[in-house]
Amino acid sequence: MRGQHSAAGETAYARNLNEYNAVALELSRCRKPFLMRGLYSDMLMDGVAPNFFTFHAAITACMRAGRLHDVIFFFNQMKARGITPDRYMFNCVMSACSRSGHTDRAFRVAEEMQAAGFAGNIRTFQALLSACSASGRHIEAQQVMERMAAEGVALNKFCYSALITLHQNRRPFSPHTVEKIFSLLEESQAVPTFSLDTELAGTTDLSAALPVGLSPLSALHVDMEEELALVPQEGALSDVGAYGGQGAGRGRGGGMSERGGVEDGAEGAGAGAGRGGGGEAVYASAEVVVHRAALRAFLDAQHLQGAVRLVRMIEESGIVPDAAMQTLLLRVQLLANNEAEALKLADKYYGAQARPYIDQFVQAISFSLRDQRPIGMTLALRLLALFFAHGFYFTRKKGSQLLQEAIATDQVRGMAAADLLFEHLVEKHQALEFDAVLDYMRALRRRHTPKTDHRWLLIQEFIKRRQSIRGLWMKGLQMGGHEGESSMPHETDGVEKDDREDDAHNHPAL
């Protein structure tokens, strides 16, 4: 559906530049950057010329989602239409390059910004340091720091976080690296907190381009704060793999809201699809970004002593962990094989009284399922029970992935987690990929499960439901006048013939 070219009887969703800009801002708030190109095409077909704010909304939305290709597209379109990017837009493009691991492109954009007459600010150097840290480019990172010193720009907490990640990528992970990380952590404590006014210095005034009733500060605050909170972490969180239930919104970082809707951040209110609710903890706080980077470095290197020392430091300093750090603290207890403390943290952060973010919840379930020790099974069972108690549910892809992760270690830890997950998904009529069900059947056969077991009955129920859906689809094709069945996906596509015959022999329902 387009604006002025809508079919007869349809209401146009936008008729002029201000309305198109309002839609662009709403798509950015709703975390739907994949619709930005369609909106842009509709503008051009309706003869509406985009302005600076149109590209601002599109680039920032795509940058947050890690869609580098779309960021570059809109950036090039912006310049081709004679609209000069300001320093904020250059920084957004560099941030997108940094998140996507395109270090060379980030430095090229920095050179282009300098040629356009804009001096770099702290966000510019922060993006460049983040790009260097992710790719382990120590020489370029040192050059960036020398340039910062020459221009009188001091390191902020996000720069220290990037430097910790840079040292994390050194191999081997030596005691000297551990002490260097703690040294950077100590230095970062003297850094002042994030100031929005400082970060917005040199940004184009958007007052004339914004829809009525929206201030430039409110338009940029969300973009700035979220970007800074997530850089230089592990990039975009677009594939959550779970939805909120019982009124919680769908999206990244979902959680239960007492109002049954979006709670964390006013930007999602009324948007129809926000981040999926709030939480008692901030999702990603700028105050603890350095501690979070250090904790992740020790966990990725499996350095238990450094992780335990850092956890003790966090507790003694009274730091309140954000939602991202809560997941890392749970991983520390799993690494230390401390079952009692791990279960205590699981109940505290994800229990009935908590309002967890869905993506962090899914991450906790995933890493506990991959752990091959008994503590991993125990923690996974507790987390799955809490997940289902909140009314959350998995997407087809993520549910199948977690089921296969639980099955992968069945010979070591047993099938308890896989059984709980499969039974819940089937009973709630949630979709599963057929390959995951076949893996579950093979695991049951390896354990010589009797054919009278209720799990075989659940498999039969799943298969009958799939066959019923397939029959309805075929009926729809016939009523629509389509011929042939070759294009229709089959449940056993991608499964070798011998495996299908073996499954059919052992389980007649196939």
Side-chain angles (χ1 to χ4, degrees):
M1 181 179 70
R2 294 200 308 274
Q4 300 172 9
H5 294 280
S6 301
E10 291 185 359
T11 302
Y13 69 84
R15 292 177 294 272
N16 52 48
L17 178 61
N18 282 339
E19 292 184 4
Y20 269 113
N21 284 343
V23 175
L25 179 62
E26 199 70 7
L27 292 178
S28 178
R29 289 177 170 179
C30 294
R31 310 305 196 268
K32 294 184 178 180
F34 51 88
L35 297 178
M36 283 294 184
R37 282 218 189 188
L39 176 69
Y40 183 72
S41 299
D42 290 349
M43 290 186 69
L44 299 184
M45 295 186 69
D46 287 343
V48 178
N51 62 1
F52 181 89
F53 176 75
T54 309
F55 291 108
H56 166 271
I59 290 177
T60 51
C62 295
M63 177 269 297
R64 287 199 304 268
R67 301 174 68 91
L68 177 62
H69 185 72
D70 288 341
V71 169
I72 298 300
F73 169 78
F74 286 116
F75 188 61
N76 291 336
Q77 285 288 310
M78 184 180 191
K79 294 184 292 183
R81 290 186 166 272
I83 301 176
T84 304
D86 67 352
R87 184 166 59 183
Y88 173 81
M89 300 305 297
F90 278 112
N91 287 337
C92 283
V93 177
M94 280 186 281
S95 295
C97 296
S98 170
R99 295 184 184 198
S100 303
H102 290 256
T103 307
D104 293 333
R105 186 186 288 270
F107 276 95
R108 288 200 299 270
V109 175
E111 294 174 357
E112 184 179 349
M113 184 182 77
Q114 188 176 10
F118 295 103
N121 63 356
I122 183 61
R123 290 187 62 234
T124 307
F125 300 116
Q126 173 188 312
L128 295 178
L129 282 177
S130 300
C132 294
S133 66
S135 55
R137 301 174 73 160
H138 300 271
I139 297 177
E140 288 85 346
Q142 184 63 34
Q143 293 173 350
V144 172
M145 293 182 64
E146 292 175 356
R147 182 178 167 188
M148 291 179 68
E151 297 185 13
V153 180
L155 296 172
N156 65 4
K157 290 183 179 292
F158 303 96
C159 293
Y160 277 106
S161 176
L163 292 176
I164 288 177
T165 305
L166 182 68
H167 286 282
Q168 171 193 344
N169 292 327
R170 288 183 179 274
R171 290 296 180 269
F173 196 87
S174 63
H176 172 74
T177 305
V178 174
E179 294 305 320
K180 183 62 178 178
I181 290 176
F182 278 105
S183 174
L184 291 171
L185 195 60
E186 292 291 339
E187 293 178 17
S188 68
Q189 302 310 303
V191 176
T193 56
F194 164 72
S195 173
L196 183 65
D197 295 333
T198 303
E199 299 298 336
L200 291 180
T203 303
T204 299
D205 183 13
L206 302 179
S207 300
L210 290 174
V212 178
L214 185 67
S215 68
L217 189 62
S218 64
L220 291 178
H221 186 281
V222 175
D223 302 327
M224 292 288 300
E225 195 161 36
E226 181 172 359
E227 178 196 354
L228 290 175
L230 294 179
V231 172
Q233 292 193 74
E234 59 270 26
L237 301 171
S238 55
D239 183 19
V240 176
Y243 301 143
Q246 302 176 1
R250 167 185 174 179
R252 306 170 11 172
M256 296 300 296
S257 169
E258 293 177 351
R259 298 192 302 269
V262 177
E263 177 177 292
D264 180 40
E267 72 274 16
R275 279 194 291 183
E280 293 177 344
V282 179
Y283 181 80
S285 171
E287 298 298 321
V288 298
V289 63
V290 186
H291 294 82
R292 195 166 58 239
L295 198 55
R296 183 179 295 107
F298 292 133
L299 287 171
D300 291 347
Q302 297 288 298
H303 197 281
L304 179 59
Q305 292 181 348
V308 171
R309 176 181 168 187
L310 180 55
V311 170
R312 191 181 304 114
M313 180 187 299
I314 292 173
E315 293 174 349
E316 292 175 353
S317 58
I319 293 176
V320 179
D322 56 19
M325 183 183 285
Q326 290 174 355
T327 307
L328 297 176
L329 294 174
L330 189 61
R331 285 181 59 189
V332 172
Q333 302 305 325
L334 190 63
L335 179 63
N337 201 23
N338 190 343
E339 181 176 315
E341 188 64 24
L343 295 177
K344 179 181 176 181
L345 290 180
D347 291 334
K348 177 181 179 181
Y349 297 148
Y350 306 106
Q353 302 302 319
R355 290 175 292 172
Y357 290 82
I358 295 185
D359 60 332
Q360 296 297 327
F361 211 151
V362 172
Q363 287 183 29
I365 294 172
S366 181
F367 69 66
S368 61
L369 286 174
R370 290 195 298 268
D371 193 285
Q372 298 191 9
R373 297 170 297 171
I375 183 177
M377 171 65 75
T378 305
L379 182 59
L381 290 172
R382 177 68 62 87
L383 290 173
L384 285 171
L386 294 174
F387 187 88
F388 298 140
H390 276 291
F392 299 155
Y393 55 95
F394 297 109
T395 62
R396 171 176 176 167
K397 177 182 177 182
K398 181 58 67 173
S400 302
Q401 177 185 335
L402 292 177
L403 179 60
Q404 289 176 318
E405 289 177 356
I407 293 170
T409 56
D410 70 294
Q411 294 180 335
V412 180
R413 304 184 311 173
M415 289 280 289
D419 291 340
L420 175 62
L421 183 58
F422 182 77
E423 290 174 11
H424 181 87
L425 294 175
V426 174
E427 290 174 358
K428 297 297 182 180
H429 294 269
Q430 295 182 24
L432 275 173
E433 294 179 359
F434 203 75
D435 285 348
V437 179
L438 291 180
D439 290 340
Y440 184 69
M441 293 171 57
R442 296 184 185 110
L444 292 179
R445 288 203 305 271
R446 284 196 301 268
R447 303 182 71 83
H448 305 290
T449 306
K451 296 300 179 181
T452 56
D453 191 277
H454 73 285
R455 290 171 289 184
W456 287 112
L457 299 178
L458 289 175
I459 292 176
Q460 287 182 343
E461 178 185 342
F462 170 82
I463 294 172
K464 288 179 181 178
R465 190 166 67 246
R466 286 290 297 269
Q467 291 174 342
S468 175
I469 294 174
R470 183 171 180 266
L472 291 174
W473 201 66
M474 280 296 301
K475 184 177 180 180
L477 284 178
Q478 294 172 359
M479 293 178 62
H482 297 282
E483 298 181 357
E485 188 180 345
S486 58
S487 61
M488 187 188 70
H490 194 273
E491 291 93 341
T492 54
D493 285 348
V495 182
E496 296 182 2
K497 180 179 179 181
D498 293 341
D499 290 336
R500 294 200 300 268
E501 292 177 351
D502 186 40
D503 293 325
H505 175 73
N506 288 276
H507 192 65
L510 282 173

